[in-house]
Amino acid sequence: MTEERAKKILEAIEAYDDKEALYAMSPEDATAELNATGNNFTVEEITEAGEGLKAVAQVTSANGEIDLAALEQVSGGANSKSAFWGGVAVGSGIGAGVCFAGAAICACLW
Amino acid sequence: MNHRYNMEGMNIELTTCCPLHCPQCYCTLEGGKHIDLEIAKAKIDEAAEHGVYLVQLSGGETLCYPHLFELVSYASDKINTVNVALSGWHFNQEVLKQLIDSNVGGIYVSLNGSTNVINSVTRDGYEYAINALRIMKEAGYKNSFLNWVMHSNNCDDFENIVRLAEDYSVPNVVVLVFKPDSSHQLLSFPSGEQIRRIAQYIKAYRGSVKIMVETCFSQLMAILKDTKLFGNLNLGPTKGCRAGIYNYSINVDGRYSPCRHLDYYEDYESLDAYLEESDIIRQIRNVETHKEEPCVSCGLSDYCKPCLAVNSKLENKISIGNSACDLWNR
């Protein structure tokens, strides 16, 4: 897959209005939902994007900063699929935004 | 800035004075002591050097601290966000104005129930909190937060708390995990079913209030971020307890500890020395290899790093585990 296509997929997820509802869907339903607005993603592509999101989630601090040095390490090397997706997510500025389903996190110290 | 370890958040215990007597309180409120202003300033300088972007000022009751506004002002010149927690005691328009003038990042008001009856089971000062919310609403203050600690006895009230936040135009509600109280008990820890129900409510909520969850409520985070589409996304630094790794605390005597809730206070000449040499910090860095039941057998084990104060205070050891949590029993 090209970087451009991967970026398009992540952008479509990021732009989806009710991310919570999207994340609660099966890969098949989520793909159909994203394709309803003129995309042509496959179920495999959508599923694969999750690998990148997990890699990014593992190296993102509470204020949304991403430890780039650690990204390659947690994603199983520079040539892994999750390193590819993680790199696209970070490079496109989407970063951790797509990872945070549910409530906003809060690094409280109370 | 050239330190081996950079940190993100620091808590300062400003005072042990407090006029309230909350049943859930974890503090040892003895002696009515305040942190020396110069020590607090020096710790803020040091935090800024270490990359800390979030400082939380707590107590005791922060409004008992005589140098509160000066310290907030000093800290906010050096740190991105400086927050203050308070009960509402002694809060008025003038206090709000002074906090705003000091560039406070956010004001966190503690409230565990939408009614005095529910609140008073675990907290004191219901009227003070409501009065503070009213004052901030009337002033149009936008950086208010409602700190709600989840117990087994108030979780059915959470919808009402969110509604109360809407009514008082409080933009943020923070869900906090119940940590061991001052007698090292955790008797009203919510059940797994209750935690799941709150997660469901948060996921479905579409109102004006931003519902936040503190990272150390890892059990709730692990359920919230468990998605059908991508699996569980509760991973990495934000998945749970950050004590001693991303966050640390300074107590009223100026001593270091990994967190307000981990009572291992140590004297070191600097934060660098503390992070390099403390045996407690070393144990915390290795804590993922010290996981105990019920967490070992829990299906959420890989996605949950619960508050370390639980086993520290209930079992007297640094390890991952929470015998009060029954999420393992799905």
Side-chain angles (χ1 to χ4, degrees):
Chain A
M1 187 185 310
T2 63
E3 268 190 45
E4 197 182 339
R5 180 146 182 92
K7 185 178 169 191
K8 202 175 167 196
I9 292 168
L10 292 177
E11 281 174 348
I13 296 170
E14 173 68 359
Y16 193 81
D17 264 354
D18 193 345
K19 209 184 294 170
E20 195 55 63
L22 185 72
Y23 279 26
M25 293 177 193
S26 67
E28 292 74 18
D29 289 347
T31 305
E33 186 66 22
L34 292 169
N35 286 346
T37 50
N39 297 305
N40 61 341
F41 306 135
T42 65
V43 174
E44 290 71 29
E45 286 174 327
I46 297 299
T47 309
E48 212 181 274
E51 291 188 43
L53 302 191
K54 285 175 187 164
V56 173
Q58 287 186 66
V59 296
T60 304
S61 73
N63 71 337
E65 275 186 20
I66 294 169
D67 183 348
L68 283 170
L71 182 60
E72 201 174 296
Q73 209 179 336
V74 301
S75 54
N79 297 321
S80 70
K81 272 187 185 171
S82 54
F84 167 76
W85 281 95
V88 173
V90 175
S92 59
I94 295 167
V98 283
C99 298
F100 295 141
I105 59 160
C106 160
C108 273
L109 301 159
W110 305 122
Chain B
M1 194 194 312
N2 185 22
H3 301 280
R4 183 165 175 204
Y5 300 107
N6 279 330
M7 304 300 271
E8 298 184 355
M10 175 179 72
N11 177 293
I12 303 181
E13 179 189 26
L14 296 182
T15 177
T16 61
C17 287
C18 184
L20 305 185
H21 303 282
C22 301
Q24 68 160 24
C25 188
Y26 58 89
C27 301
T28 311
L29 299 171
E30 292 167 351
K33 190 170 184 182
H34 304 310
I35 193 168
D36 181 277
L37 179 61
E38 293 313 310
I39 291 175
K41 284 181 175 178
K43 297 300 181 188
I44 283 163
D45 292 345
E46 184 180 58
E49 271 186 34
H50 279 262
V52 167
Y53 59 82
L54 175 67
V55 165
Q56 312 274 68
L57 301 176
S58 64
E61 169 53 58
T62 50
L63 289 183
C64 288
Y65 187 57
H67 314 293
L68 178 65
F69 307 121
E70 182 178 350
L71 189 64
V72 172
S73 178
Y74 183 85
S76 60
D77 276 349
K78 297 169 183 259
I79 305 283
N80 191 49
T81 304
V82 180
N83 297 327
V84 173
L86 45 84
S87 67
W89 173 85
H90 227 275
F91 192 84
N92 56 35
Q93 286 89 345
E94 181 56 26
V95 167
L96 176 60
K97 183 182 179 306
Q98 292 203 60
L99 283 170
I100 293 170
D101 290 347
S102 313
N103 289 322
V104 71
I107 299 174
Y108 289 67
V109 177
S110 305
L111 191 67
N112 281 1
S114 65
T115 66
N116 194 7
V117 171
I118 299 169
N119 188 68
S120 62
V121 177
T122 51
R123 276 205 196 277
D124 198 359
Y126 176 82
E127 291 83 4
Y128 293 138
I130 294 294
N131 184 51
L133 298 181
R134 183 186 54 76
I135 288 168
M136 289 193 282
K137 178 183 181 180
E138 286 171 3
Y141 181 68
K142 297 291 179 211
N143 291 326
S144 57
F145 296 72
L146 205 155
N147 267 353
W148 180 79
V149 179
M150 182 179 178
H151 293 264
S152 57
N153 52 49
N154 69 351
C155 61
D156 289 343
D157 186 49
F158 186 61
E159 283 186 51
N160 299 325
I161 280 285
V162 173
R163 212 168 295 134
L164 185 144
E166 289 169 348
D167 290 347
Y168 282 92
S169 305
V170 179
N172 312 283
V173 168
V174 187
V175 179
L176 280 72
V177 69
F178 175 40
K179 293 111 181 167
D181 60 25
S182 57
S183 56
H184 294 190
Q185 299 289 318
L186 201 62
L187 297 178
S188 52
F189 195 82
S191 69
E193 192 267 327
Q194 288 176 318
I195 296 172
R196 288 182 194 283
R197 211 168 344 121
I198 291 293
Q200 219 167 29
Y201 174 79
I202 293 172
K203 283 191 173 198
Y205 179 73
R206 297 289 183 275
S208 60
V209 172
K210 188 173 173 184
I211 302 176
M212 307 169 89
V213 178
E214 64 172 350
T215 53
C216 43
F217 202 162
S218 194
Q219 296 95 333
L220 180 55
M221 292 292 290
I223 293 171
L224 279 169
K225 291 168 83 175
D226 190 8
T227 73
K228 189 170 179 182
L229 183 55
F230 296 128
N232 202 315
L233 295 173
N234 199 40
L235 300 160
T238 58
K239 88 168 178 183
C241 172
R242 297 155 59 82
I245 298 177
Y246 299 97
N247 302 334
Y248 67 103
S249 184
I250 301 295
N251 84 343
V252 74
D253 296 316
R255 305 173 83 197
Y256 297 99
S257 76
C259 167
R260 271 309 305 273
H261 298 270
L262 286 166
D263 297 343
Y264 304 102
Y265 302 112
E266 298 183 278
D267 285 315
Y268 281 92
E269 64 181 20
S270 67
L271 180 58
D272 274 328
Y274 175 58
L275 297 174
E276 290 278 352
E277 296 166 23
S278 164
D279 186 53
I280 294 296
I281 295 293
R282 186 190 56 74
Q283 289 183 53
I284 285 175
R285 288 202 187 104
N286 295 322
V287 78
E288 297 264 12
T289 59
H290 293 87
K291 194 174 283 189
E292 303 192 3
E293 296 292 4
C295 297
V296 177
S297 306
C298 181
L300 294 168
S301 183
D302 290 343
Y303 311 103
C304 183
K305 185 186 175 192
C307 168
L308 296 184
V310 174
N311 269 8
S312 164
K313 289 185 174 172
L314 273 64
E315 311 282 342
N316 201 24
K317 57 187 166 190
I318 302 283
S319 64
I320 290 176
N322 182 338
S323 55
C325 176
D326 67 5
L327 272 172
W328 60 275
N329 189 15
R330 303 181 80 155

